[in-house]
Amino acid sequence: MCTKSQLMEGLKASYQTIGRPERVGIALSGGADSCALLLLLRALSKEEGFSLVCMHIHHGLRDSADGDEAFVRTLVESLNLPYLVRRLSWDKAHISEEMAREGRYEALFQMMEEAHCQTIALGHHLEDQAETVLMQLLRGAGGKGLRAMAEFERGLWRPLLSVSKKDLLLFLDEEQQLYCLDETNRSPRYTRNALRLQVMPALRKLFPRCDKALYRAAILQRDQYALSTMAVKAWMEQNAVIFQGYAVVGKPAFLEADESLQRAVIHKAAEMLDIFLDFEQTERVRMAALLERGKANLPKGGSVQSGKHRLLILSGQKIHATLPKLEVVPLFSGFGDGLSHQALDSDKAGDYVLRTVQKGDSIRPLGIDGTQFVDKYLADRHVEAPLRKLWPILAKGNQALWLPGFSIGEEAAIGPSTKNVLYLRLTGALPDGRILGRKEP
Amino acid sequence: MCTKSQLMEGLKASYQTIGRPERVGIALSGGADSCALLLLLRALSKEEGFSLVCMHIHHGLRDSADGDEAFVRTLVESLNLPYLVRRLSWDKAHISEEMAREGRYEALFQMMEEAHCQTIALGHHLEDQAETVLMQLLRGAGGKGLRAMAEFERGLWRPLLSVSKKDLLLFLDEEQQLYCLDETNRSPRYTRNALRLQVMPALRKLFPRCDKALYRAAILQRDQYALSTMAVKAWMEQNAVIFQGYAVVGKPAFLEADESLQRAVIHKAAEMLDIFLDFEQTERVRMAALLERGKANLPKGGSVQSGKHRLLILSGQKIHATLPKLEVVPLFSGFGDGLSHQALDSDKAGDYVLRTVQKGDSIRPLGIDGTQFVDKYLADRHVEAPLRKLWPILAKGNQALWLPGFSIGEEAAIGPSTKNVLYLRLTGALPDGRILGRKEP
C-alpha cells in the first residue's frame, strides 16, 4: 500500500529523472488514473514550480463522451488550470483499438506543441504495464516489444508505471475526488479489455505477484535489449559495413561469431536496408551464410550472397556507388600500398578521373602481359557481380591507371623514365567493405 | 499440421545439430508425448544407426503408476528395445511440483550414466514450452529464465519443442498407437496444470497463435541473453577485476557506461561473489555507485564502497590477498615503472620478501623526509581499508623496500653508491584492480 507522501516521493523522483521540465501537459480522460495523476502533479507543480496544462481528448465514440468532457472541464476549472480539448472524429464502423490509440497520441502531440509543453504525463499504472508486457509476448514480440511502455520516451511521461491501480483508487478515496467510469474498459470487445477482464484475474489467483513480475520484466527487457544492441553494434563496427543498398559482412569473423550474434547481425544488417526478417527468415539466411557459396532470397527483392571472404546482403533496391575521396598528397614517398595510397607517373597519368567502372573499361595490369576487361578482371578476383559496377577506377579514357585494392595499369606506372611522381590518397571504403586507411586488426 | 515425414525431417535435423550421438536414451512416461517420440526416434535410429534405450520412471504417486509401467514395458518389449525402470519413493504428504521434477531428472541422469547414453530425449512439445515461458514470466524471471527449456542442454534433448501437441496426437492416431492418460495433468492442484487448464484456453481464444509466439519468445530470449552477456563480459574484461572475496570496477568507465550496463555490471560482479541482487537492490547499489563517496549494504554482509577512482564490491566473506608473482629479471635497464618493474640496490635489499602489509610495517618514501606507517601511507592515497591489508609489500623486516604501485623506500633505492642492481618484475594484479604489465587503454 502507498500513502500520499510515498506517491508524491515517487512522482518527484521521476520528475527529477526526466530533467525537471518547466511546462508539463497532462492527458486527462476523466477516469480514475488520470484524475489521481492530476491531483498529484498539481501538488508537485506547486512544490517544484512548473506549470501544468490539462488536455482532454473527446473521442466522440460513446454517448458518455460529452459527460466526461463536462466533468473534466469542471474539475480543471475548479483547480484553475489551463485547459485544452480536442475532438476526434471516426468512422465508427471500422475503428480498431490501434487506430483509436494512434489518433489519441497524435492529438496529444499536437496539443503538446500548441501549449509549448516539454512533456505529456500519462496515467498508466502497474497493471497497465503488466497487461502490455503480456499482450506483447502473446502477440509474438521479441525483446524490443517486451520492453513495453517506457517511463519516459518521445515526450511521453508515465510517472505512475510502478503504482498499482488499487493505490490510486485509495488515494482518490482519501482525497474525496470523483472520477468518470469508462465503460469501454468493461467491454470485452477489445483484446486488451478481454485480457484484463477474463485472463488477468485468473493469473493473479495462480501468481499473486504477477503484475509486479510483469512490470519488472519490462525493465529487465529494457536493459537486456540495450545490452544486446551494444554487443551487435560493437561487432558490426569491427566487421561489417553498410553501404547504400547493401551490406558487407566479413566472413571469417562471422563464422567465428556465436550463433546468437550471427542471427543478430543478419537481422540488423537487413533492418538497416529496410528489410525486416522474422526469426525463421533470419535463420534461413544464416544457414546460407555459413556456406562458402550460399544464396538466399530476402523479402522486397533482396538477396544474400555468401562467399569465402564476405557475406553480401543486397536490398533489392538500386545500389549506389559511393566513390572514395581522392586527394593528391604533396609529401609522400614510396609506391604506396595500392589500397589507400598510390604513386603514379604524373606525366603519363594526364587527365585522370576517379569514377565507377563502365562497360569497355580495360586494364593492363602491371607485371602481367596483355589487356583485360576490368569487369572480367574483377570477376576473376571473386568480386560479386553487383559490386563490380560500383568499383572505383582511376581512369584515363577507358584505360585503368589504378583499380584500388587490386592493381595499377602499366600506363602510368612508375618506371625508369618517370620524372614527376603523382601521389594519390583515397579515403572511404571499397565496395567489398575494405575500409581505406584502416589497419586490419 | 505436420505429416509424419515432416516430423521425421525436424527430428533428423535436430539429431544432426546435437552431434549425432551414438546412444540415445528416451524418457518414456507412457503418455502421448513420449509415445510419439518413441515411434519417431525408433524410425530415426534405424535410419541414422544409433541405439535407443528406453527409460521409465515409476513415480509411485498414483494408483495408475503400476498400470503405466506395465503399458510401457509391453510397448518397449514389442519394439524389442532395451529398457530401464527406476522407482521413486516419496513422502506423499509433502511432495511439491518442484521436488517431483527434480527427483525425476536425477533418476534420469543416473539411468543415462548406467546405460552409457550421451543424451536423453524428452517429449516436451510446443505447448509445454509456451507454458514454461509464461510461468517463468509470471514468477518474475528475467531474460535468463525466459529462455525456458533448451532444445539441447546438460545432456537433455528436446527434439519436439517446436511441434504442437495436436500434431503428436494426430500422428499417434495414424500409427494406431495407444498411450496412457495422465490424470495428474488434469488436476488443477499444481500451478502448471492450473495454468494449462484454466488460463491457456482463454489466452488461445484471444491470441490464437500465442503458443507459437511464446515458443519464439524463448528463442529470441536465448539469443538476447547470450548477446547481453557478451556485452557485459567484454566491458568487465576491460574495466573490472574480480578478486577472491571482492570486485573492483573502474569508476571513470563505470560513470561513462549506459545505465543498463551499469546495472548489469553490478549484478554480475555481485553474482561472481555469490551475492544475488534483484532489480531494486541492483538499482540501489547503482545509485550509491554514482556518488563520489557512496556506500551501500548488500545481502550476506556484503557492501559497496564507491570512491573517485573505483567501485569496490565486497562479499562480506573473508577477503584473501592474491600476491602478484615476483621474478628477478636478469636483463633490464632503467629504474622501472614502480608498478610492474622496479630496480633496487641489490646489496642493500638483502633478504627481501614479498608479502602482504602487516601491522608495524613502515616506509621511508623515496624523496620524502621521514618515516610513515604503511597503513597510514596507503590510507592517505585513498586505498580503502579492506584493501590496505591485502597490499603487496617488498619488505626487509618491517621496512618497505617497495610498495608496488606507489613508491619505493629509501633503504634499497639506487643511488651513487650502488654497485649491483636488482631488477624485479611483478605480474598479476594490485588489490585496487590495476593489472600489472597491462598498458592502460
Side-chain angles (χ1 to χ4, degrees):
Chain A
M1 204 126 65
C2 255
T3 61
K4 180 178 178 182
S5 72
Q6 284 170 325
L7 287 172
M8 282 298 293
E9 206 178 298
L11 186 67
K12 191 172 175 174
S14 184
Y15 175 75
Q16 292 172 351
T17 306
I18 69 166
R20 300 178 183 261
E22 284 169 17
R23 222 173 147 72
V24 175
I26 172 172
L28 260 182
S29 69
D33 313 338
S34 63
C35 284
L37 181 59
L38 176 64
L39 298 193
L40 290 166
L41 263 186
R42 185 160 172 273
L44 187 70
S45 75
K46 288 182 181 163
E47 215 179 291
E48 291 273 346
F50 61 84
S51 54
L52 192 58
V53 182
C54 299
M55 300 167 176
H56 179 73
I57 291 167
H58 187 300
H59 278 75
L61 285 174
R62 289 173 273 122
D63 299 338
S64 61
D66 291 333
D68 291 353
E69 204 272 316
F71 171 82
V72 169
R73 183 178 293 276
T74 311
L75 173 59
V76 169
E77 277 170 3
S78 77
L79 296 175
N80 230 337
L81 288 169
Y83 179 58
L84 291 176
V85 61
R86 193 68 91 251
R87 194 183 177 104
L88 302 181
S89 59
W90 304 100
D91 173 1
K92 286 192 198 182
H94 296 100
I95 177 156
S96 73
E97 205 174 349
E98 240 61 51
M99 284 160 61
R101 210 190 43 176
E102 274 170 33
R104 203 157 59 231
Y105 278 119
E106 199 184 313
L108 279 177
F109 282 120
Q110 281 174 8
M111 288 194 266
M112 176 160 94
E113 205 165 311
E114 188 178 320
H116 304 289
C117 292
Q118 286 100 22
T119 184
I120 296 181
L122 300 167
H124 293 122
H125 51 72
L126 184 71
E127 286 81 4
D128 290 331
Q129 179 74 323
E131 283 163 22
T132 305
V133 174
L134 206 52
M135 292 247 317
Q136 290 286 353
L137 184 72
L138 297 167
R139 281 180 171 168
K144 195 173 180 174
L146 291 184
R147 299 177 309 165
M149 292 185 283
E151 187 182 338
F152 186 63
E153 199 172 48
R154 294 186 305 134
L156 300 173
W157 179 31
R158 298 181 177 95
L160 301 181
L161 224 40
S162 64
V163 180
S164 89
K165 176 93 177 184
K166 204 184 68 201
D167 287 332
L168 293 179
L169 293 177
L170 277 173
F171 166 68
L172 286 168
D173 209 34
E174 273 171 27
E175 300 282 314
Q176 302 191 314
Q177 175 62 53
L178 299 175
Y179 50 88
C180 309
L181 283 174
D182 179 355
E183 65 275 21
T184 54
N185 280 344
R186 310 215 163 267
S187 140
R189 182 186 157 201
Y190 295 137
T191 312
R192 181 184 275 272
N193 289 343
L195 187 71
R196 176 177 304 161
L197 299 171
Q198 295 161 4
V199 179
M200 293 306 294
L203 284 180
R204 286 187 190 113
K205 244 189 224 161
L206 294 175
F207 305 91
R209 296 179 53 77
C210 72
D211 289 292
K212 196 83 188 158
L214 288 164
Y215 164 77
R216 278 185 194 164
I219 299 179
L220 293 172
Q221 289 294 324
R222 200 158 280 276
D223 276 9
Q224 212 180 282
Y225 183 77
L227 290 171
S228 58
T229 304
M230 265 178 229
V232 178
K233 195 170 163 242
W235 192 91
M236 287 184 74
E237 272 169 7
Q238 287 298 314
N239 304 296
V241 188
I242 311 291
F243 290 97
Q244 221 187 330
Y246 74 108
V248 181
V249 179
K251 197 60 180 292
F254 184 82
L255 292 178
E256 266 178 35
D258 184 279
E259 214 176 274
S260 56
L261 193 50
Q262 292 176 339
R263 275 192 285 266
V265 165
I266 290 168
H267 189 271
K268 183 70 194 169
E271 187 190 296
M272 289 170 90
L273 301 171
D274 261 327
I275 298 177
F276 299 88
L277 304 178
D278 65 23
F279 183 84
E280 274 79 15
Q281 289 168 325
T282 308
E283 188 62 3
R284 207 162 39 75
V285 170
R286 191 176 73 87
M287 288 302 151
L290 294 177
L291 304 174
E292 201 175 301
R293 278 161 180 247
K295 280 212 176 202
N297 289 326
L298 296 179
K300 291 185 173 185
S303 62
V304 168
Q305 291 188 30
S306 172
K308 191 172 178 177
H309 302 292
R310 55 193 169 260
L311 179 66
L312 291 189
I313 305 177
L314 299 143
S315 74
Q317 302 293 309
K318 191 174 159 37
I319 288 179
H320 296 274
T322 317
L323 280 180
K325 199 180 143 210
L326 180 69
E327 294 166 285
V328 175
V329 198
L331 291 168
F332 191 67
S333 69
F335 296 107
D337 56 8
L339 195 62
S340 58
H341 289 90
Q342 185 60 50
L344 294 173
D345 186 315
S346 170
D347 301 313
K348 295 182 189 161
D351 287 338
Y352 63 86
V353 61
L354 185 77
R355 55 167 172 79
T356 49
V357 168
Q358 290 170 4
K359 217 173 136 99
D361 283 345
S362 61
I363 185 167
R364 287 202 292 137
L366 185 66
I368 297 174
D369 265 354
T371 296
Q372 230 180 336
F373 282 119
V374 168
D375 189 72
K376 170 84 167 66
Y377 177 87
L378 289 173
D380 289 346
R381 272 142 199 86
H382 310 294
V383 175
E384 293 82 351
L387 304 191
R388 298 205 283 272
K389 59 180 182 298
L390 308 180
W391 211 270
I393 175 174
L394 191 81
K396 184 179 168 185
N398 258 151
Q399 278 303 112
L401 303 181
W402 179 23
L403 264 185
F406 289 109
S407 181
I408 59 164
E410 291 272 7
E411 274 67 20
I414 288 172
S417 64
T418 299
K419 290 201 184 70
N420 298 303
V421 180
L422 171 69
Y423 290 116
L424 295 174
R425 174 165 60 199
L426 289 180
T427 44
L430 292 179
D432 63 357
R434 278 183 282 176
I435 308 288
L436 295 166
R438 181 167 90 175
K439 287 264 174 291
E440 291 304 307
Chain B
M1 204 126 64
C2 253
T3 62
K4 178 177 179 181
S5 72
Q6 283 169 325
L7 287 172
M8 281 298 293
E9 206 179 296
L11 185 67
K12 191 173 175 172
S14 184
Y15 174 75
Q16 291 172 352
T17 306
I18 68 166
R20 299 178 184 261
E22 284 171 13
R23 221 172 148 73
V24 174
I26 172 173
L28 259 182
S29 67
D33 314 338
S34 64
C35 284
L37 181 59
L38 176 65
L39 298 192
L40 290 165
L41 264 186
R42 185 159 174 274
L44 187 70
S45 75
K46 288 180 179 161
E47 217 178 287
E48 290 274 345
F50 61 84
S51 54
L52 193 57
V53 182
C54 298
M55 300 167 177
H56 179 72
I57 290 168
H58 188 299
H59 279 75
L61 286 174
R62 288 173 274 121
D63 300 339
S64 61
D66 290 333
D68 291 353
E69 203 272 317
F71 170 82
V72 170
R73 183 179 294 274
T74 312
L75 172 60
V76 169
E77 277 170 3
S78 77
L79 296 173
N80 229 337
L81 288 170
Y83 179 56
L84 292 177
V85 62
R86 194 67 92 248
R87 193 183 178 106
L88 302 181
S89 58
W90 304 101
D91 172 2
K92 286 190 198 181
H94 297 102
I95 177 153
S96 73
E97 204 174 352
E98 240 62 50
M99 285 160 62
R101 210 190 44 176
E102 274 170 32
R104 202 157 61 230
Y105 278 117
E106 197 183 315
L108 280 176
F109 283 120
Q110 281 174 8
M111 286 194 268
M112 177 160 94
E113 204 164 311
E114 188 179 319
H116 304 289
C117 292
Q118 286 100 24
T119 183
I120 296 181
L122 300 167
H124 293 124
H125 50 72
L126 185 70
E127 286 81 4
D128 290 330
Q129 179 75 322
E131 285 162 19
T132 304
V133 174
L134 206 52
M135 292 246 317
Q136 290 286 353
L137 183 71
L138 297 169
R139 282 180 169 166
K144 194 172 179 177
L146 292 183
R147 300 176 309 163
M149 293 185 283
E151 188 181 338
F152 187 63
E153 199 172 47
R154 295 186 305 135
L156 300 173
W157 179 32
R158 299 180 176 95
L160 300 181
L161 225 41
S162 64
V163 180
S164 89
K165 177 91 178 184
K166 203 183 69 200
D167 286 332
L168 293 180
L169 293 176
L170 278 172
F171 167 69
L172 287 168
D173 208 36
E174 272 171 26
E175 300 283 314
Q176 302 191 314
Q177 175 64 53
L178 299 175
Y179 51 88
C180 309
L181 283 174
D182 179 353
E183 63 282 16
T184 53
N185 280 345
R186 308 214 165 270
S187 140
R189 182 186 156 200
Y190 294 137
T191 311
R192 183 185 274 272
N193 288 343
L195 188 71
R196 176 177 304 159
L197 299 171
Q198 296 161 4
V199 179
M200 293 305 295
L203 284 180
R204 286 187 191 112
K205 242 187 224 164
L206 295 175
F207 305 92
R209 296 178 54 75
C210 71
D211 288 292
K212 197 84 187 154
L214 288 164
Y215 164 78
R216 279 185 193 162
I219 298 178
L220 293 173
Q221 289 293 324
R222 202 159 278 277
D223 276 9
Q224 212 181 283
Y225 183 76
L227 290 171
S228 57
T229 303
M230 265 178 229
V232 178
K233 196 169 163 243
W235 192 92
M236 288 185 72
E237 273 169 7
Q238 287 297 315
N239 304 295
V241 188
I242 310 291
F243 291 96
Q244 222 187 327
Y246 74 108
V248 180
V249 178
K251 196 61 180 293
F254 184 83
L255 292 178
E256 267 179 33
D258 185 279
E259 213 177 275
S260 57
L261 193 49
Q262 292 176 338
R263 274 193 286 268
V265 165
I266 290 168
H267 189 272
K268 184 69 192 167
E271 185 189 298
M272 289 170 91
L273 301 172
D274 261 329
I275 298 177
F276 299 89
L277 303 179
D278 65 22
F279 183 83
E280 274 78 15
Q281 291 167 325
T282 308
E283 188 62 1
R284 205 162 40 76
V285 170
R286 190 176 74 86
M287 289 303 150
L290 294 177
L291 304 173
E292 202 175 301
R293 276 160 182 248
K295 279 213 175 200
N297 289 327
L298 297 178
K300 289 186 174 186
S303 62
V304 169
Q305 291 188 29
S306 172
K308 191 171 179 180
H309 302 291
R310 55 194 169 259
L311 180 67
L312 291 190
I313 304 177
L314 298 145
S315 74
Q317 302 294 308
K318 191 174 158 36
I319 288 179
H320 296 275
T322 319
L323 280 179
K325 200 180 142 209
L326 179 69
E327 294 165 285
V328 176
V329 198
L331 291 167
F332 191 66
S333 70
F335 295 107
D337 56 8
L339 194 63
S340 59
H341 289 89
Q342 186 58 52
L344 294 174
D345 186 314
S346 171
D347 301 313
K348 294 181 190 161
D351 287 339
Y352 63 84
V353 60
L354 186 77
R355 55 169 172 77
T356 49
V357 168
Q358 290 169 3
K359 217 175 136 94
D361 283 346
S362 61
I363 184 167
R364 287 202 291 137
L366 185 65
I368 297 173
D369 265 353
T371 297
Q372 230 181 335
F373 282 118
V374 168
D375 189 73
K376 169 85 167 64
Y377 177 89
L378 290 173
D380 290 346
R381 270 141 199 89
H382 310 293
V383 175
E384 294 83 350
L387 304 191
R388 298 205 283 273
K389 58 179 185 295
L390 308 179
W391 211 270
I393 176 175
L394 192 80
K396 184 180 169 185
N398 259 151
Q399 277 304 112
L401 303 181
W402 178 24
L403 264 185
F406 290 108
S407 179
I408 59 163
E410 291 273 7
E411 273 68 22
I414 287 172
S417 65
T418 300
K419 290 198 184 71
N420 299 300
V421 179
L422 171 68
Y423 290 117
L424 296 174
R425 174 163 61 198
L426 289 180
T427 43
L430 291 180
D432 63 357
R434 277 183 282 175
I435 307 289
L436 296 166
R438 181 166 90 175
K439 287 264 175 289
E440 292 305 305

